[in-house]
Amino acid sequence: MARRRRDLHVGIVGAGIGGVMASIAMAHAGCTVTVLEAASQLGEIGAGIQMVTPNVARLLIKYGVDKAIGKDLVRFDEFNLRRKDGTKVGHTFIKQVEDATGFPWWLVHRHHLHTGLVDVARKRGVNLRINSRVVQLQQQPDGKVFVTTEHKHTYTFDLLVGSDGIQSVVRNTLFPDVKPRPPNGNCAYRAIVPYDEVRKDPLTRELVEDKNGNLVKTMEVWMAPTGYIISYPLSDCKDFNMVLNHFQEKPVDCVEEVSLEEVKDQYKGYDPRIKRAIDMIKPPISRWPLLVTGPLDSWSNAEKNVVLIGDACHSMVNHMAQGAATSMEDGAFLAQCLGAVVDGRLSISDAVAVHEKCRMPKASYKQQLSFLNGWLWLLPDGPAADARDRTMKGELEGRVSMRSANLYGDPTTVLECYEYDAEAHARDGIAAWLNAGRPVRDATSTVERLEAEKIANWFLPEGHKFPIRPRM
Ligand SMILES: Cc1cc2nc3c(=O)[nH]c(=O)nc-3n(C[C@H](O)[C@H](O)[C@H](O)COP(=O)(O)OP(=O)(O)OC[C@H]3O[C@@H](n4cnc5c(N)ncnc54)[C@H](O)[C@@H]3O)c2cc1C
């Protein structure tokens, strides 16, 4: 029997990276989408940067955002982990990660990523409205959500998605007691210097060129107990980006302007090459807080027609560079669930329930992984740091270890974090939901669909994938 298609009008609060990605995937899934953004113009401000790891590269490719961004997506060759004096202790060939996951690992300026997303969202018919700060949401007796903006414009939606970042109004309305906090005094400066300048200077040139003067694109980390520095190219190799981790005595909870002298002072004893790159930074320079939200007990209201995604419900420390990536995964996952509402398989509240059931543990995992990576990069000098470095020794000789403290190349992390397919996970979550909560298994072998995807279907060509004949 043909199912009845349902019209679904989704309101998204916040046109950040998570909100715009969600709008694209939801429009693709057949929803009518309106995005309400507080700012007076669309765009990401400041020296924001983004690692597009394979788990989100797959989404950008699917929706054509990679084409919209073009050559500003930078492919790079190697990842090097160093002690603060520059001694190399860990190494990953990025091609090995890309081969294992089947997708590229890109580096991109936040502005270019956001512009590409907005471009695609507009082409897909998303209604993006600026100057639209949401100030109030109310339940309607007919099960819809009524939203008011600061300029007194009103909207009615079937579902409202709170993608309004760390200071989320939607979350504050649902869960007023939740307060994002910095776990300790750890925080970060962000800075970009011209790549040309780095290439011209004889000291810094070593970071971006080989002995024959050819451009080498690498991501570098200098680890120390007092703070690490991570650097990589952006914007078609026109920008050399640095995120400079450090500690303040008191936890930092807002962006603060700092002097270049302060930054130089923080990294006095580091590799002369990265110190020279720091000398090239031009003010204004900002210190960014690393605020953590949750884990929360729920991401939705009792009626399950208002749901949170992204930093609004799971902001995390930046050490795995997965905050925006996780926001984008949320949007893609939720869109698959809403597609099942549009085609009549799920109710809105069931779609939200599937989203929470599957995505909440994943976001908590990313938060944990992020904490752990910071802890590893900031270990005190001594036996623990030495043991960490020993796990990576084989990498320096070109071998991939079965297990490594270099989480950017460690096989477990690569598969759990970078190979993750949010949309396949959603399809599986929906199928299990419709199967009375039981995972869908192959009728003969009883293998679960998710395991088959992980273990066999990643290398099998279409038409030869492990058979899943549902056992109900
Ligand atoms: C130092 C640092 C480095 C980082 N590096 C990386 C990295 O390399 N890779 C990565 O994946 N992540 C990184 N992150 C994390 C990343 O920046 C965030 O996780 C990501 O931007 C969250 O996206 P979002 O769309 O959920 O929220 P946001 O980007 O915060 O977007 C929220 C949007 O909602 C709007 N808004 C707010 N309130 C309202 C309202 N009431 N009404 C309407 N609109 C509203 C805002 O104007 C904004 O446009 C880093 C973070 C820090 C601090």
Side-chain angles (χ1 to χ4, degrees):
M1 197 177 69
R3 293 193 204 94
R4 209 158 62 87
R5 266 186 81 81
R6 185 183 163 172
D7 291 333
L8 191 65
H9 190 183
V10 181
I12 298 180
V13 186
I17 286 166
V20 184
M21 178 72 234
S23 76
I24 293 170
M26 288 173 191
H28 182 82
C31 308
T32 303
V33 189
T34 302
V35 184
L36 303 173
E37 167 57 45
S40 56
Q41 62 184 65
L42 286 173
E44 294 270 338
I45 323 143
I49 42 81
Q50 208 64 48
M51 277 188 217
V52 176
T53 44
N55 46 318
V56 277
R58 69 161 75 232
L59 300 174
L60 298 196
I61 291 170
K62 172 173 174 183
Y63 294 107
V65 182
D66 59 326
K67 300 235 161 42
I69 303 174
K71 58 186 172 35
D72 286 322
L73 283 171
V74 178
R75 243 11 218 271
F76 68 113
D77 304 312
E78 293 176 34
F79 172 67
N80 292 313
L81 268 174
R82 302 173 183 277
R83 289 287 185 111
K84 77 172 189 184
D85 64 359
T87 310
K88 207 195 275 193
V89 292
H91 175 264
T92 301
F93 281 116
I94 296 307
K95 178 146 187 346
Q96 284 173 340
V97 177
E98 294 181 334
D99 286 348
T101 58
F103 288 91
W105 181 332
W106 283 308
L107 306 168
V108 65
H109 194 293
R110 188 180 292 260
H111 167 72
H112 294 137
L113 173 58
H114 193 259
T115 305
L117 287 165
V118 167
D119 189 25
V120 172
R122 287 211 166 107
K123 284 190 181 124
R124 285 186 180 263
V126 171
N127 183 11
L128 285 161
R129 305 194 69 87
I130 53 171
N131 281 319
S132 302
R133 178 178 296 280
V134 169
V135 289
Q136 200 182 31
L137 31 143
Q138 286 168 301
Q139 281 299 320
Q140 298 287 88
D142 62 357
K144 299 197 183 220
V145 188
F146 185 73
V147 168
T148 312
T149 69
E150 65 179 337
H151 298 304
K152 307 277 179 257
H153 293 294
T154 58
Y155 299 84
T156 305
F157 299 115
D158 298 307
L159 174 77
L160 188 73
V161 179
S163 178
D164 45 346
I166 290 183
Q167 305 307 340
S168 168
V169 160
V170 181
R171 186 199 59 233
N172 285 341
T173 309
L174 264 45
F175 311 116
D177 295 338
V178 173
K179 300 275 175 269
R181 287 188 205 291
N184 52 33
N186 200 227
C187 45
Y189 312 113
R190 285 158 146 180
I192 287 177
V193 299
Y195 216 77
D196 277 354
E197 217 173 303
V198 175
R199 265 189 108 165
K200 257 187 239 145
D201 187 289
L203 246 187
T204 48
R205 184 184 299 153
E206 287 178 28
L207 297 173
V208 293
E209 281 184 7
D210 66 14
K211 290 194 178 67
N212 302 319
N214 301 314
L215 189 64
V216 184
K217 293 184 240 174
T218 65
M219 186 185 295
E220 306 284 338
V221 173
W222 288 263
M223 300 181 287
T226 49
Y228 67 82
I229 303 174
I230 184 163
S231 75
Y232 47 84
L234 295 175
S235 318
D236 196 21
C237 287
K238 291 189 184 68
D239 295 329
F240 181 84
N241 179 72
M242 286 175 275
V243 181
L244 305 114
N245 182 281
H246 61 286
F247 286 88
Q248 289 293 97
E249 233 165 75
K250 285 203 188 115
V252 177
D253 55 15
C254 58
V255 180
E256 299 164 350
E257 200 160 314
V258 300
S259 67
L260 181 57
E261 282 57 47
E262 177 188 314
V263 183
K264 285 188 187 170
D265 205 46
Q266 280 284 352
Y267 304 101
K268 273 200 298 247
Y270 283 58
D271 182 341
R273 295 172 297 179
I274 194 64
K275 281 204 305 185
R276 179 65 60 83
I278 292 172
D279 291 342
M280 296 173 186
I281 301 174
K282 301 267 180 302
I285 313 168
S286 296
R287 183 200 330 279
W288 290 74
L290 304 178
L291 297 166
V292 176
T293 308
L296 307 183
D297 296 331
S298 165
W299 288 354
S300 65
N301 60 346
E303 294 81 0
K304 293 224 176 296
N305 59 4
V306 180
V307 62
L308 301 168
I309 64 169
D311 270 15
C313 51
H314 55 59
S315 68
M316 58 190 77
V317 290
N318 68 323
H319 315 306
M320 279 302 284
Q322 283 296 304
T326 310
S327 303
M328 289 190 272
E329 287 176 356
D330 284 347
F333 188 109
L334 184 57
Q336 290 288 316
C337 300
L338 298 184
V341 176
V342 171
D343 70 19
R345 284 179 297 151
L346 290 181
S347 64
I348 294 176
S349 62
D350 283 353
V352 169
V354 173
H355 180 73
E356 288 181 296
K357 186 169 190 292
C358 299
R359 286 298 299 167
M360 287 174 74
K362 193 75 194 177
S364 299
Y365 159 75
K366 295 279 198 90
Q367 287 183 313
Q368 290 298 310
L369 199 63
S370 306
F371 277 133
L372 270 168
N373 201 41
W375 182 77
L376 286 168
W377 286 1
L378 296 164
L379 275 176
D381 293 333
D386 294 344
R388 171 198 65 200
D389 294 355
R390 274 197 299 277
T391 70
M392 305 185 263
K393 210 159 168 276
E395 296 170 11
L396 301 181
E397 290 145 22
R399 282 181 279 124
V400 177
S401 317
M402 291 284 282
R403 236 179 154 182
S404 168
N406 164 13
L407 299 190
Y408 281 31
D410 168 60
T412 309
T413 328
V414 167
L415 294 183
E416 283 294 314
C417 186
Y418 302 148
E419 204 258 349
Y420 174 72
D421 179 347
E423 297 189 328
H425 188 196
R427 287 191 291 276
D428 195 66
I430 296 164
W433 185 268
L434 294 171
N435 192 27
R438 292 189 301 272
V440 176
R441 298 172 196 270
D442 175 52
T444 315
S445 63
T446 73
V447 168
E448 286 181 20
R449 188 202 303 238
L450 263 188
E451 296 307 319
E453 290 293 337
K454 260 193 243 166
I455 293 164
N457 287 347
W458 69 274
F459 66 85
L460 290 170
E462 284 310 323
H464 297 267
K465 300 216 183 276
F466 185 83
I468 294 282
R469 286 151 304 189
R471 162 174 291 200
M472 295 296 178

